[in-house]
Amino acid sequence: HRLRLSFWKTKPLMTEFSVKSTIISRYAFTTVACRLLNRASEDQEVEFQMQIPAAAFITNFTMLIGDEVYRGEITEREKKDGDRVKEKRNKTAEDNGEKGTEVFRASLVIPSKDKAAFFLSYEELLQRRLGKYEHVVSVRPQQLAGRLSVEVNILEQSGIASLQVLPLQNSRQKGSGRGEDDSGPPPSTVINQNETFAKIVFKPSVVQQAKIAQNGILGDFIIRYDVNREQSIGDIQVLNGYFVHYFAPKDLPPLPKNVVFVLDSSASMVGTKLRQTKDALFTILHDLRPQDRFSIIGFSNRIKVWKDHLIAVTPDHVRDGKVYIHHMSPTGGTDINGALQRAIALLNNYMAQDDIEDRSVSLIIFLTDGKPTVGETHTLTILNNTREAARGRICIFTIGIGNDVDFRLLERLSLENCGLTRRVHEEEDAGSQLIGFYDEIRTPLLSDIRVDYPASAVEHATKTLFPNYFNGSEIIVAGKLVDRQLDQLHVEVTASNSKKFVILKTDVPVGPQKVGGDLPGSPGPRGDSEEDPNPLERLWSYLTVKELLSSWLQSNDGQEKERLRQRAQALAVSRRFLTPFTAMRLKKPGPPSGSLEEAHGLSAAVGPEPVLQSLRGAGTLPGPALEKPYEPRIKISKTSVDGDPHFVVDFPASRLTVCFNIDGQPGDILRLVSDHVDSGVTVNGELIGAPAPPNGHKKQRTYFGTITILVNKPERSYLEITPNRVILDGGDRLVLPCNRSVVVGSRGLEVSVSANANVTVTIQGSIAFVILIHLYRKPAPFQRNHLGFYISSSNGLSGGCHGLLGQFLHQEAELTEEPGGLSRNLTHPPSSQAPEPSEAVLKVKGRRVPVVWKQRKIYNGEEQVDCWFARNSAATLIDGEYRDYLASHPFDTEMTLGLGIPEGR
């Protein structure tokens, strides 16, 4: 998968390669932009390659060819592909990526004398290792770039304690982590820093690039930093209903370690691998503390145990251990199961002794370069045997060397037994990697850590139980606050250290904070249709998806595995994460269709598995289907929100219609109908953005790109509607394309799709919503495919219904005359010949709302309504204010407004 270009041709010129990362509270948003120009007289293919961290999730990919834009859309991956895809992604990452990276590839053909561009966004949570966070940006444009820049912005509320920019690193080996490289940052690097903010810019000229690498493979740009820590219970940060808790205590006495080193001495370890591993173990044995206990096992087709019990760390024992390791010789096969069972038995026998005074941590450090070939060779049996023997009391840390290792087995061994795993490539120094890995776990400070929050205050928290805490690492918990107005959060941390059981309790202030408020520039990857994301919400989503994937990998129960897959997939799709359960499809802006028009052979992949559909083949939708924007039968009620977004509320008994606008931000999720407690129905709408039309007064336009409906009675069903498809999840999951007419129904819920026109949702026969689908054949820059939401029947909604539309369904309104002599017939707006807008005052819910007469088009512009318009985003018309109607996620049912709010407020 190298550049597939002939060398005698003039290959496309890279005019720009730029990377911008924004790190807020350890969560990194990164966007890569690469622009190319084809100067040749014929079309040319070019491939874009970008190494991204293996832990990162791709969130967006866009390609430009000339003036045509192709956007990536994260969709569900077919269930049958799930296992196969993950294996292929792992394999590719291992074979072709740098250590801990995966390679994203995309190729296209640039027409003669034309230009092209790639934009890739990804996100990751930085992990603390050896007391530092490390952010790595791959700078490998494959040629000298006209403009090359890397900009990294870091915002840490608790303060930046240390920051270092390393020299560019181009080998697979990133070092053991011992010592600091003091040769300084790359040339042209500029660092600006204050207490909580740092901006690092690397902007080498073409000459400076050439001095580093003529071929454009400059290497990894690496930033290491750490933050200040004051509270013993950790640092808790809150933003818009989400929180993150960082716990990294220090200055604690180390826990004693009971450690068994299990070393593969099969024939395949012959030569450099075994020599480097032995040298590393010599170093590690010298590092053991006097209170530690240890033993050594070598294994091939035979299991060779140095001592049949754990022994104390003394100079003599360390010397004898080194001699034993030195005399190991490579021979025979690989009995992984037998070696693990013997190591676990050594530790279990030691822990069964009654005279152990101090609490301790039991570890196995297991190193191999192969697959099980002797004894038990079935992966699931090895995993079951290990889990049953270790019983959660022994943590297994695995290291796989080379390309022949069964890395998935090692990964699961560590996942299921509270450990970590590392991969060492064939040409890497296995010894330094082993030492670096050991350094991360050499100092356990706490064991059996449990983090507790009041159940009434916190929901959907990520993992709160941790077997061990090692010095230099960090425990992270994220979750949602039940009450966004909470002043303080009660936190309890219980754990064991070497002498006693530790309980930390405190009330942490969580008043309004702006985690990203002072950061200049964009805090995240942002397209035309996105606003700055909430970094703590993204962090929570990231951690939750990671934990679901981990649980899925460990589960052997078919039903549980499927539930985990569905939960991970649903969250990944809604948060736009590319995972083993999601795929990315390239879409050209325009009507949804089965295949898109030919676009110069466009395709892309993460590894060998195509995650973006090829844009070959024709077949756009036939014209007549798009010329049917609505059906007359849906004209049942004017109460609606449509367009940019324009709200219309009909008061039929008062013969009044009121309208207002809400100028939200792209990405905002608005509560439209909130009746979860009574009828069990909730409707939320998520905004997308577009540039404003030229010469307009607005800075941007917003539309509803997604409408979500949660029906909680008689049984729970979820509906997610976009211009392209309807997802109905009510036990069985259905995905209905919007370009085909279909009717489905179950459990009191009916969904009717009229192809490329509308979706009608009927609930219990007494509630009906109509969602209009607005599609553009050739959209202007300020147009986006979007949705309109109409309440056609509200009989089944309760009097306590709320939301931007729902709060008016069971209300009446009347107009009062303003001084200045208006028309006496105030129920009917004045004629359109009025020279200036006529003003009046509306009485609704006991409040007096100034309004002005206006005309507004609804039903896709087919009908014009006369209405009284409330200015200033309906500030005095609606209960509360705009931010009170922001939902934290598409199916959020919480609604604090409408309960006990005094009238005339």
Side-chain angles (χ1 to χ4, degrees):
H1 292 296
R2 294 295 173 193
L3 284 174
R4 299 189 289 271
L5 299 171
S6 303
F7 286 105
W8 57 84
K9 292 182 180 177
T10 307
K11 68 179 180 180
L13 175 71
M14 188 173 296
T15 56
E16 179 189 345
F17 179 87
S18 63
V19 182
K20 183 170 183 180
S21 289
T22 301
I23 303 168
I24 303 175
S25 297
R26 291 73 140 176
Y27 194 73
F29 301 87
T30 301
T31 298
V32 184
C34 176
R35 298 180 186 274
L36 298 127
L37 175 66
N38 180 11
R39 298 165 295 171
S41 53
E42 67 275 344
D43 296 356
Q44 289 195 325
E45 185 179 11
V46 68
E47 186 179 66
F48 166 70
Q49 288 188 24
M50 185 67 191
Q51 289 184 359
I52 66 169
F57 286 142
I58 290 171
T59 56
N60 194 19
F61 180 62
T62 301
M63 300 171 79
L64 274 67
I65 307 174
D67 294 324
E68 294 185 328
V69 182
Y70 297 86
R71 298 179 190 280
E73 180 186 66
I74 303 289
T75 61
E76 297 175 352
R77 189 188 294 279
E78 289 296 320
K79 177 184 167 185
K80 62 180 182 294
D81 293 341
D83 293 333
R84 180 171 58 84
V85 168
K86 187 164 196 317
E87 281 187 40
K88 286 196 171 185
R89 286 192 72 205
N90 276 346
K91 187 171 189 301
T92 308
E94 292 156 14
D95 291 351
N96 298 327
E98 297 292 328
K99 181 173 77 75
T101 67
E102 290 187 351
V103 181
F104 178 88
R105 293 181 173 83
S107 62
L108 57 74
V109 173
I110 312 178
S112 169
K113 308 296 183 187
D114 213 339
K115 60 187 186 224
F118 302 92
F119 300 94
L120 175 71
S121 297
Y122 58 89
E123 299 174 17
E124 66 168 325
L125 178 61
L126 303 184
Q127 298 295 321
R128 189 168 185 255
R129 290 183 180 147
L130 304 172
K132 295 282 191 293
Y133 304 101
E134 188 170 274
H135 181 58
V136 181
V137 174
S138 174
V139 188
R140 295 175 172 84
Q142 312 276 335
Q143 61 170 286
L144 300 179
R147 292 189 307 278
L148 189 150
S149 68
V150 177
E151 179 184 323
V152 180
N153 294 292
I154 302 172
L155 180 68
E156 294 289 352
Q157 267 194 323
S158 50
I160 298 171
S162 63
L163 187 142
Q164 179 191 23
V165 180
L166 276 59
L168 290 166
Q169 294 193 12
N170 220 337
S171 69
R172 291 179 184 267
Q173 185 182 326
K174 300 278 176 29
S176 69
R178 293 203 170 188
E180 296 289 355
D181 192 330
D182 58 1
S183 56
S188 83
T189 303
V190 177
I191 303 170
N192 289 303
Q193 184 181 352
N194 61 26
E195 188 180 339
T196 59
F197 174 66
K199 181 175 184 175
I200 301 103
V201 178
F202 171 54
K203 207 169 183 178
S205 64
V206 175
V207 173
Q208 287 171 318
Q209 292 174 51
K211 285 182 179 176
I212 298 167
Q214 287 277 357
N215 61 2
I217 301 176
L218 279 67
D220 288 318
F221 185 80
I222 302 173
I223 296 168
R224 285 186 186 151
Y225 76 95
D226 199 18
V227 300
N228 295 319
R229 288 178 178 80
E230 293 176 6
Q231 294 189 51
S232 60
I233 206 155
D235 174 26
I236 294 183
Q237 300 182 12
V238 175
L239 183 65
N240 292 342
Y242 288 83
F243 78 91
V244 62
H245 181 185
Y246 297 105
F247 181 60
K250 52 185 180 180
D251 303 326
L252 296 170
L255 280 161
K257 295 191 298 292
N258 315 312
V259 57
V260 178
F261 299 97
V262 184
L263 177 61
D264 185 343
S265 60
S266 61
S268 58
M269 286 287 288
V270 70
T272 306
K273 279 190 286 193
L274 188 58
R275 189 188 72 248
Q276 289 176 347
T277 302
K278 288 180 176 182
D279 290 344
L281 283 173
F282 295 161
T283 303
I284 289 169
L285 291 181
H286 276 294
D287 191 74
L288 293 172
R289 297 185 177 88
Q291 68 265 38
D292 294 341
R293 296 287 187 274
F294 78 109
S295 189
I296 302 160
I297 293 177
F299 74 97
S300 52
N301 52 335
R302 291 176 52 225
I303 314 298
K304 292 160 273 188
V305 182
W306 172 47
K307 303 282 185 186
D308 61 2
H309 59 280
L310 295 188
I311 63 170
V313 175
T314 66
D316 286 349
H317 289 158
V318 168
R319 185 194 64 232
D320 293 348
K322 289 173 66 176
V323 170
Y324 179 78
I325 291 168
H326 175 74
H327 284 110
M328 279 185 183
S329 56
T331 179
T334 310
D335 185 359
I336 287 177
N337 183 70
L340 284 169
Q341 290 300 309
R342 290 296 292 275
I344 292 168
L346 282 179
L347 289 164
N348 279 333
N349 291 339
Y350 177 73
M351 288 187 288
Q353 297 173 23
D354 295 329
D355 58 347
I356 301 173
E357 293 180 10
D358 288 351
R359 290 184 172 86
S360 57
V361 171
S362 295
L363 314 173
I364 292 172
I365 296 178
F366 182 88
L367 186 145
T368 183
D369 73 336
K371 302 176 175 67
T373 60
V374 175
E376 180 56 64
T377 58
H378 189 252
T379 295
L380 282 179
T381 307
I382 295 172
L383 290 168
N384 288 335
N385 292 345
T386 304
R387 191 171 53 248
E388 288 170 12
R391 301 196 303 273
R393 300 170 63 196
I394 297 166
C395 296
I396 300 175
F397 295 82
T398 58
I399 299 158
I401 303 178
N403 298 330
D404 297 325
V405 73
D406 186 347
F407 192 67
R408 293 200 72 187
L409 170 61
L410 299 188
E411 186 179 36
R412 284 194 65 176
L413 279 169
S414 293
L415 268 176
E416 294 180 8
N417 298 281
C418 61
L420 300 168
T421 188
R422 290 287 183 275
R423 178 72 184 245
V424 180
H425 284 278
E426 199 79 53
E427 64 275 31
E428 286 181 334
D429 181 346
S432 68
Q433 295 297 306
L434 176 54
I435 291 170
F437 190 31
Y438 173 77
D439 279 350
E440 292 184 39
I441 58 176
R442 65 193 287 263
T443 312
L445 297 182
L446 294 171
S447 65
D448 303 319
I449 304 104
R450 178 186 178 117
V451 188
D452 283 309
Y453 314 95
S456 60
V458 167
E459 61 181 358
H460 303 304
T462 55
K463 186 172 71 171
T464 55
L465 298 174
F466 303 88
N468 298 304
Y469 165 70
F470 296 98
N471 190 39
S473 66
E474 186 169 59
I475 284 171
I476 304 174
V477 182
K480 299 181 191 178
L481 295 177
V482 173
D483 179 7
R484 287 192 178 204
Q485 310 306 317
L486 195 70
D487 294 326
Q488 56 184 19
L489 178 64
H490 183 72
V491 183
E492 290 188 16
V493 178
T494 56
S496 299
N497 72 4
S498 57
K499 300 291 182 188
K500 60 183 178 180
F501 195 62
V502 180
I503 302 180
L504 302 171
K505 295 184 182 183
T506 191
D507 289 323
V508 181
V510 293
Q513 299 180 30
K514 288 199 170 184
V515 172
D518 301 324
L519 187 63
S522 164
R526 186 163 59 164
D528 289 343
S529 60
E530 296 177 64
E531 70 151 347
D532 294 347
N534 175 350
L536 300 194
E537 179 184 357
R538 303 295 295 173
L539 188 158
W540 170 83
S541 304
Y542 173 97
L543 267 183
T544 303
V545 171
K546 286 283 184 187
E547 288 179 6
L548 288 168
L549 289 172
S550 175
S551 299
W552 175 83
L553 192 63
Q554 295 176 58
S555 174
N556 295 320
D557 180 304
Q559 285 190 331
E560 182 196 31
K561 211 171 174 71
E562 176 59 14
R563 280 196 301 272
L564 291 165
R565 186 194 70 81
Q566 287 187 7
R567 286 179 59 198
Q569 184 181 67
L571 186 56
V573 168
S574 72
R575 296 304 194 272
R576 302 188 310 280
F577 288 147
L578 185 58
T579 70
F581 301 139
T582 52
M584 188 182 282
R585 311 288 174 201
L586 269 185
K587 296 252 178 152
K588 187 178 177 185
S593 60
S595 58
L596 299 171
E597 61 194 287
E598 186 172 348
H600 309 292
L602 196 56
S603 65
V606 172
E609 179 65 24
V611 295
L612 302 177
Q613 67 184 14
S614 173
L615 295 185
R616 293 187 184 277
T620 53
L621 282 171
L626 290 178
E627 291 167 7
K628 184 183 171 191
Y630 76 105
E631 288 186 41
R633 68 177 176 81
I634 67 166
K635 294 186 184 180
I636 300 170
S637 168
K638 300 174 188 172
T639 300
S640 61
V641 55
D642 209 340
D644 177 17
H646 299 322
F647 289 76
V648 175
V649 178
D650 198 25
F651 296 96
S654 309
R655 296 168 64 203
L656 278 174
T657 303
V658 178
C659 50
F660 58 93
N661 295 347
I662 293 287
D663 289 326
Q665 294 296 314
D668 282 357
I669 301 171
L670 303 186
R671 306 177 195 276
L672 303 178
V673 176
S674 298
D675 199 27
H676 183 68
V677 175
D678 292 308
S679 69
V681 173
T682 301
V683 183
N684 296 327
E686 183 167 2
L687 294 176
I688 56 175
N695 306 319
H697 65 283
K698 288 191 173 186
K699 292 183 180 176
Q700 65 175 350
R701 280 189 156 195
T702 49
Y703 306 94
F704 281 111
T706 305
I707 298 289
T708 50
I709 302 174
L710 171 63
V711 182
N712 208 36
K713 297 176 182 179
E715 294 178 64
R716 181 166 289 211
S717 297
Y718 299 88
L719 262 173
E720 181 180 277
I721 301 161
T722 71
N724 301 341
R725 48 118 181 91
V726 178
I727 297 177
L728 170 58
D729 196 342
D732 294 325
R733 186 179 178 83
L734 288 174
V735 180
L736 312 173
C738 288
N739 58 1
R740 293 182 202 154
S741 295
V742 66
V743 178
V744 296
S746 68
R747 303 189 296 185
L749 177 69
E750 182 186 278
V751 179
S752 171
V753 180
S754 180
N756 297 313
N758 62 68
V759 178
T760 303
V761 179
T762 308
I763 303 159
Q764 300 296 323
S766 60
I767 302 168
F769 305 128
V770 176
I771 295 90
L772 288 193
I773 302 169
H774 300 289
L775 302 173
Y776 296 94
R777 261 186 197 283
K778 295 182 178 178
F782 53 85
Q783 292 173 323
R784 293 279 185 274
N785 290 344
H786 65 279
L787 303 172
F789 174 74
Y790 292 75
I791 300 176
S792 63
S793 175
S794 58
N795 295 334
L797 294 171
S798 75
C801 184
H802 211 273
L804 284 166
L805 288 174
Q807 65 187 291
F808 301 110
L809 292 175
H810 298 282
Q811 300 292 330
E812 292 306 327
E814 64 173 311
L815 283 171
T816 60
E817 190 173 346
E818 273 283 84
L822 287 175
S823 164
R824 304 298 301 175
N825 186 6
L826 288 169
T827 52
H828 295 285
S831 71
S832 56
Q833 275 73 41
E836 292 187 7
S838 297
E839 297 184 359
V841 172
L842 181 77
K843 273 191 72 176
V844 62
K845 292 187 164 189
R847 293 195 286 272
R848 293 171 61 83
V849 184
V851 290
V852 61
W853 174 74
K854 201 167 193 172
Q855 289 185 318
R856 177 156 281 178
K857 290 186 176 180
I858 59 174
Y859 306 133
N860 221 0
E862 295 298 315
E863 182 172 317
Q864 183 166 287
V865 294
D866 298 322
C867 63
W868 290 100
F869 178 72
R871 296 189 175 105
N872 301 324
S873 291
T876 54
L877 176 67
I878 60 175
D879 291 337
E881 53 190 47
Y882 172 74
R883 67 166 178 255
D884 297 322
Y885 296 87
L886 293 178
S888 58
H889 59 85
F891 294 103
D892 186 1
T893 59
E894 297 170 21
M895 188 74 216
T896 55
L897 284 175
L899 304 173
I901 291 178
E903 295 202 344
R905 181 177 60 104

